[in-house]
Amino acid sequence: MDHLVKEALEGEFRVNMHDADSIQRGLISYMVRVVGHDPRSAGPRQWFMALAYMVKGILSERGMGTSRAQYGQDTRRVYYLSMEFLTGRRLMKHLLDFGLETNVREALDALGQDLDELAQQEPDPALGNGGLGRLAACFLDSMATHRYPGHGYGIHYEFGMFSQTIEDGQQVEHPDNWLQGGNPWEFVRYSVSYPVRFNGRIVCFKDESGRERCEWVDTNNVNAIAYDLKVTGYDSPVISNLRLWSARASTDFDLRFFNEGNYIEAVKDKTTSETLSKVLYPMDSTVLGQELRLKQEYFFVSASLQDIIARYLRVHEDLRLLHEKIAIQLNDTHPALAVPELMRLLIDVHGLEWDEAWSVTRETFCYTNHTLLPEALETWPIGMLEHVLPRHLEIIYLINHDHLQQVRFRFPGEMEVLRKMSLVDENTQRIRMAHLAIVGSKRVNGVAALHTRLLREKVFPEFDEMYPGKFVNVTNGVTQRRWLLQCNPQLSDLITEAVGASWKSDLTALHALEPLAEDAAFRERFNAIKLANKARLADHLKEQTGYVVDPASMFDVQVKRIHEYKRQLLNLMHVIHRYTLLREGRLDDPVPRTVVIGGKAAPGYWLAKQIIRLTCDVALTINNDRAVSDRLKVVFLPNYNVSNAEITIPGANLSEQISTAGTEASGTGNMKFALNGALTIGTLDGANIEIKEEVGDDNIFIFGLTTEQVTETKRRGYNPWKVVEHDADLKRVLDMITSGFFSPQQVNRYSAIRDTLFDGGDQYMVLADFRSYIETQAKVDALYRDPDAWARKAILNVARMGLFSSDRSIQTYAKEIWGAEPMDI
Ligand SMILES: *Cc1c(COP(=O)(O)O)cnc(C)c1O
């Protein structure tokens, strides 16, 4: 080592990435010069930092090339605004994208370090709740891979999604201090900073030219500081930027108090304003009307739009043509304040007329709707907006005034329609953010065919009628780079060997695998890989929970946020039913199963937490019952996040996608599992429907009521008691849950579950779908008994997943929504 260190420090600083020796010297050099640690005593943590800084150098170099090309070509830029980006760890992704894994591994070997161990040192940046944030990350990957000029904007949360442990069978939340050890990937741009204003009042006056102008004065200001993360694409010269804003107290704000001699107050306010980027709200598919959340939304929207306009003005002059050079995608309504904010900037700051500003605005924005659940639709109290963003409230009223004029014209005399379509809910005195986003956007998209249809027919039919062609569908997708290449290297190699490597940037190439489903030797290799991935998952489960599971058993997996609509409870009811059958010897030739359930519950979502607790109680009972032990195991996988997903998904045989029909907008977990060779048991919901169409009815297990049947059943007066009365198995399962069979220390523990199912009317139709689910699970067993038949279908699933790449989603957005072209670079 001594001579190596000497040599490295004497040698050239530039690293030749195609040469393991040069990489090795580069690592030593980064260790000394950037990490500041003696290579002779460095551990994996320090080597991770050295490697990350070295890769960061490449990111920066290449990023500048992209930037120059963008300004040079002046093609339309795409800005993706999202409160959440669930990117997962960066290191392996960059190495794979650059094709550097082998050389780096070799260089580290020579230094006595293991790349996989280093990669584990990186904290998983959990700047998102679940599907919505993960989608944003997949989209950035696909945009960079296919050379679109994409830019992400979000919040640099100091604390991301909480980490979850299970203590006494219950979820415990811990702060996710992901920046604690420093973040080697970020570029802090202290010079890229914008003031974001709150509160204050509006003064309007006539300027010299007699034009009415409004000014927003006496505001409380916070500065937004840019933190840039580079986003690589696979084998692509394009490096995109993800700009995350961090809140800093602005000095003007401090000074006011300071001058009054109140130094301590000034410092106190400094910390208050910095809470804006402190923590991610840990709720998925539900909203909480908190002022801090509203401020977070406005904070990142305002900073992003100021930045977007500044970039535009660097090379263009006329803001009336802004929409010809940019498109801004709103990831759900969280950034919908961008609509009045762009209006404000264009009118109050840049002097455009209202009509000019409005036509630019509605040609610039596009809005993605992510959910139909009423509890997830954002609305803000008028009083709160008036206090926090008085100018924006005025602008929203003006937009609404014009909008309602058009509604009156389109639906004359229809007061009910007018009331329904208004941006203001008069009953609750709240602003409807989805309506604001629809009115202010050129296109509105749903995220799966069914979801878009329901949006158009059930939720916003009048908007659809008034704006024909505005509502479009773009079915979600996932990036095959992370969700196959990175998380399942063995299957990736097998596929590449069989059909070539083009699937990595064109997933439809997987079609060529179809004939191999009939090839016994291929099936054998496919099965061996699945078994190895199951063994890896089994090790992980043992390490995380202490439970030992058999990789030869069927791995039946449901990992996603815990939510009533996702129906983890239905899954558990099947488990309990199976347990009773096993105990009574009523299952002939039982197929051994390991049921894995994982996911976080929002900290205030008590029923979701009860479902976690029930899972753990059921696991404790079943896993310790010798009578069934080799045939059924239940494990709750703690702290589901991207890194855990990368281990879990490749190890699944059966993918549980069992939401009540009409509730899951798309789902992307469903796509990741099928891509890794799991068969799906699912309802006709979200993208499951399209997955079924692609893989074929014979290669998926569909059960339960359809969306139309759910509506119809409820309309006729759904009676949960009736369902249970006619089904002795179901009654027994419920009795076991509610009589303390799994919680003998506290027999009433699950009375709330009984209450939602009965008095609460079983909103998510768990009881209604129970029988169909149980019957379908029996079909799953039957197929699993024939490993060859199972493998054929699993291979066909992989082969037919071509449609579900986020590359296809992005190409559709580019063509049908943004009008964006790939860069020439
Ligand atoms: C894909 C993914 C999700 C979304 O899963 P669904 O099953 O679509 O709800 C949530 N969390 C993580 C960590 C993911 O990787």
Side-chain angles (χ1 to χ4, degrees):
M1 183 63 104
D2 281 323
H3 76 280
L4 267 178
V5 173
K6 190 158 173 290
E7 222 180 275
L9 294 180
E10 279 165 1
E12 231 186 307
F13 199 66
R14 198 183 159 79
V15 181
N16 174 3
M17 282 293 167
H18 302 292
D19 173 35
D21 273 352
S22 172
I23 294 176
Q24 189 188 335
R25 280 195 289 275
L27 285 169
I28 293 173
S29 160
Y30 273 89
M31 181 64 83
V32 175
R33 290 171 169 147
V34 183
V35 181
H37 205 286
D38 188 332
R40 281 156 285 226
S41 63
R45 171 76 206 163
Q46 285 84 31
W47 284 113
F48 160 70
M49 292 301 267
L51 175 55
Y53 282 120
M54 192 169 91
V55 173
K56 188 188 191 182
I58 315 177
L59 291 168
S60 181
E61 271 178 53
R62 296 211 190 168
M64 287 177 189
T66 304
S67 226
R68 271 199 306 276
Q70 267 184 36
Y71 279 109
Q73 290 172 22
D74 197 27
T75 50
R76 195 195 297 269
R77 289 164 180 245
V78 176
Y79 295 107
Y80 198 83
L81 267 57
S82 178
M83 285 286 271
E84 306 186 8
F85 288 90
L86 199 51
T87 62
R89 291 182 174 134
R90 316 303 307 149
L91 178 65
M92 292 310 281
K93 157 124 185 72
H94 293 318
L95 294 184
L96 280 170
D97 284 346
F98 288 148
L100 287 178
E101 189 190 336
T102 315
N103 282 345
V104 167
R105 196 177 284 283
E106 197 182 313
L108 284 168
D109 271 350
L111 291 165
Q113 297 295 320
D114 172 39
L115 174 60
D116 298 319
E117 194 189 345
L118 257 63
Q120 298 293 318
Q121 301 299 314
E122 180 176 352
D124 185 337
L127 308 187
N129 272 283
L132 173 144
R134 185 52 232 175
L135 185 78
C138 284
F139 280 3
L140 292 182
D141 175 285
S142 288
M143 283 195 273
T145 298
H146 291 281
R147 307 186 179 197
Y148 289 101
H151 303 251
Y153 277 110
I155 297 179
H156 188 262
Y157 298 106
E158 195 178 323
F159 294 94
M161 186 62 197
F162 66 83
S163 77
Q164 176 198 57
T165 57
I166 300 297
E167 289 166 32
D168 286 335
Q170 297 179 77
Q171 168 173 300
V172 178
E173 301 97 24
H174 305 270
D176 165 49
N177 198 352
W178 71 294
L179 293 168
Q180 198 166 36
N183 180 4
W185 302 114
E186 63 198 17
F187 293 89
V188 194
R189 314 282 189 201
Y190 293 104
S191 61
V192 182
S193 163
Y194 298 94
V196 177
R197 310 200 282 165
F198 296 98
N199 313 119
R201 60 197 173 87
I202 315 303
V203 258
C204 293
F205 56 91
K206 288 233 173 9
D207 67 11
E208 314 85 66
S209 57
R211 179 175 176 268
E212 163 110 345
R213 302 197 56 134
C214 292
E215 241 179 83
W216 184 13
V217 299
D218 292 344
T219 53
N220 293 326
N221 296 4
V222 178
N223 283 335
I225 309 279
Y227 282 69
D228 287 350
L229 292 167
K230 297 292 163 194
V231 179
T232 48
Y234 184 74
D235 193 19
S236 166
V238 169
I239 308 274
S240 313
N241 196 43
L242 170 55
R243 179 157 284 181
L244 302 176
W245 299 106
S246 179
R248 292 295 147 81
S250 90
T251 41
D252 356 330
F253 187 46
D254 292 350
L255 272 179
R256 239 181 28 215
F257 290 94
F258 194 69
N259 291 340
E260 286 160 16
N262 203 340
Y263 175 70
I264 297 297
E265 268 309 299
V267 176
K268 204 173 105 202
D269 272 315
K270 177 174 155 57
T271 50
T272 323
S273 49
E274 292 184 355
T275 56
L276 279 184
S277 55
K278 192 65 80 180
V279 61
L280 166 74
Y281 277 91
M283 284 136 31
D284 190 67
S285 303
T286 30
V287 295
L288 194 71
Q290 297 239 341
E291 187 172 305
L292 179 62
R293 169 76 177 194
L294 175 69
K295 287 177 147 182
Q296 286 187 329
E297 295 184 353
Y298 178 64
F299 166 74
F300 106 94
V301 155
S302 176
S304 305
L305 286 178
Q306 292 181 67
D307 197 41
I308 290 168
I309 289 177
R311 282 187 203 221
Y312 175 83
L313 291 176
R314 241 180 263 170
V315 279
H316 303 95
E317 291 194 336
D318 190 350
L319 279 167
R320 286 170 301 187
L321 303 177
L322 180 71
H323 55 284
E324 292 181 2
K325 290 294 167 193
I326 72 167
I328 303 178
Q329 191 70 37
L330 306 174
N331 196 22
D332 212 321
T333 58
H334 315 146
L337 285 166
V339 172
E341 173 67 356
L342 183 59
M343 289 297 285
R344 183 187 73 83
L345 290 167
L346 292 177
I347 295 168
D348 295 353
V349 179
H350 296 280
L352 267 65
E353 297 296 333
W354 176 275
D355 290 344
E356 293 172 338
W358 184 238
S359 76
V360 170
T361 297
R362 48 183 316 178
E363 286 293 308
T364 297
F365 291 113
C366 305
Y367 153 57
T368 305
N369 176 286
H370 280 272
T371 174
L372 308 172
L373 298 179
E375 65 267 34
L377 292 181
E378 282 191 302
T379 60
W380 290 108
I382 288 172
M384 193 188 285
L385 277 172
E386 194 165 23
H387 171 64
V388 177
L389 298 169
R391 180 61 178 146
H392 297 79
L393 181 63
E394 279 187 1
I395 292 172
I396 290 169
Y397 281 148
L398 291 170
I399 294 172
N400 198 34
H401 176 267
D402 291 355
H403 164 61
L404 293 180
Q405 282 290 94
Q406 290 187 33
V407 174
R408 276 188 207 96
F409 183 76
R410 179 68 188 72
F411 303 99
E414 297 195 44
M415 289 311 288
E416 182 59 15
V417 172
L418 200 68
R419 195 190 55 76
K420 246 183 108 181
M421 291 183 75
S422 175
L423 306 190
V424 182
D425 182 336
E426 296 290 348
N427 292 330
T428 59
Q429 287 293 297
R430 299 172 81 99
I431 302 297
R432 298 160 164 156
M433 301 310 278
H435 290 197
L436 177 62
I438 294 171
V439 172
S441 292
K442 179 162 88 174
R443 294 274 183 280
V444 177
N445 78 285
V447 291
L450 170 70
H451 171 236
T452 304
R453 179 165 73 76
L454 295 174
L455 269 185
R456 296 178 58 180
E457 292 175 2
K458 301 277 185 276
V459 191
F460 304 117
E462 299 84 3
F463 283 93
D464 189 36
E465 223 181 301
M466 193 157 128
Y467 305 112
K470 184 179 261 206
F471 287 81
V472 296
N473 177 57
V474 185
T475 299
N476 282 168
V478 298
T479 166
Q480 65 269 35
R481 270 80 59 182
R482 185 169 294 263
W483 298 115
L484 184 53
L485 185 62
Q486 191 179 328
C487 72
N488 200 340
Q490 292 192 52
L491 183 57
S492 297
D493 287 347
L494 179 67
I495 292 171
T496 301
E497 188 190 314
V499 303
S502 63
W503 62 271
K504 295 173 190 175
S505 48
D506 172 12
L507 199 62
T508 61
L510 292 181
H511 269 305
L513 282 173
E514 280 197 23
L516 291 161
E518 293 307 320
D519 177 333
F522 186 84
R523 284 199 302 271
E524 201 171 306
R525 293 176 69 191
F526 181 89
N527 282 342
I529 291 167
K530 180 58 81 180
L531 188 63
N533 287 328
K534 289 167 75 177
R536 175 175 74 154
L537 174 55
D539 288 346
H540 181 72
L541 292 173
K542 174 156 183 251
E543 181 197 300
Q544 293 293 308
T545 69
Y547 286 128
V548 175
V549 302
D550 179 4
S553 63
M554 179 203 299
F555 279 19
D556 168 347
V557 183
Q558 185 177 24
V559 283
K560 48 182 74 243
R561 287 301 289 260
I562 310 291
H563 210 298
E564 286 162 274
Y565 85 80
K566 292 179 183 277
R567 298 200 296 191
Q568 282 90 357
L569 186 55
L570 180 61
N571 187 345
L572 280 174
M573 286 166 51
H574 161 249
V575 169
I576 295 168
H577 173 64
R578 174 173 292 258
Y579 174 59
T580 60
L581 295 186
L582 282 170
R583 275 182 42 124
E584 290 164 2
R586 281 161 61 203
L587 270 186
D588 348 305
D589 192 11
V591 173
R593 277 209 202 203
T594 298
V595 178
V596 178
I597 297 178
K600 293 173 185 173
Y605 189 171
W606 195 71
L607 205 71
K609 289 178 142 179
Q610 285 294 96
I611 290 167
I612 292 176
R613 191 170 197 188
L614 178 60
T615 310
C616 296
D617 277 345
V618 168
L620 198 63
T621 306
I622 295 182
N623 298 351
N624 290 309
D625 187 341
R626 290 266 171 80
V628 302
S629 70
D630 54 339
R631 287 160 299 163
L632 185 59
K633 280 266 157 57
V634 183
V635 183
F636 186 85
L637 169 77
N639 203 37
Y640 184 56
N641 59 11
V642 173
S643 297
N644 283 328
E646 287 170 20
I647 299 172
T648 307
I649 292 169
N653 296 118
L654 185 65
S655 158
E656 298 271 352
Q657 307 299 338
I658 59 177
S659 52
T660 316
T663 63
E664 186 77 89
S666 162
T668 48
N670 46 6
M671 302 168 187
K672 299 170 199 165
F673 278 98
L675 184 60
N676 284 276
L679 298 189
T680 303
I681 180 166
T683 46
L684 288 173
D685 198 19
N688 294 353
I689 296 173
E690 289 149 87
I691 292 175
K692 166 180 161 290
E693 282 162 9
E694 290 298 303
V695 304
D697 295 3
D698 291 343
N699 301 307
I700 188 167
F701 298 97
I702 296 293
F703 73 95
L705 300 173
T706 62
T707 305
E708 278 66 31
Q709 288 166 337
V710 169
T711 312
E712 183 56 19
T713 307
K714 287 187 174 175
R715 197 189 57 78
R716 285 204 306 249
Y718 170 54
N719 184 343
W721 278 278
K722 269 256 161 63
V723 179
V724 177
E725 196 180 297
H726 290 110
D727 191 329
D729 292 328
L730 175 57
K731 179 166 189 320
R732 171 129 171 221
V733 167
L734 291 170
D735 285 345
M736 286 169 78
I737 294 172
T738 59
S739 70
F741 184 89
F742 299 104
S743 54
Q745 339 63 316
Q746 188 185 11
V747 292
N748 285 333
R749 184 172 289 168
Y750 297 111
S751 57
I753 288 180
R754 181 191 50 219
D755 292 348
T756 48
L757 293 180
F758 292 103
D759 306 336
D762 186 19
Q763 228 195 310
Y764 296 104
M765 314 302 275
V766 175
L767 305 177
D769 276 345
F770 175 79
R771 184 47 53 187
S772 164
Y773 183 52
I774 296 298
E775 286 169 4
T776 308
Q777 286 286 14
K779 293 183 193 158
V780 171
D781 281 345
L783 184 68
Y784 200 78
R785 285 189 200 103
D786 181 349
D788 252 352
W790 184 283
R792 267 194 201 93
K793 292 182 197 289
I795 293 166
L796 287 178
N797 266 260
V798 178
R800 295 174 180 174
M801 287 306 290
L803 190 66
F804 301 101
S805 169
S806 47
D807 296 348
R808 187 267 312 143
S809 310
I810 284 303
Q811 281 151 348
T812 311
Y813 276 98
K815 202 153 159 253
E816 321 253 327
I817 296 186
W818 303 326
E821 298 284 335
M823 282 186 284
D824 193 5
I825 173 168

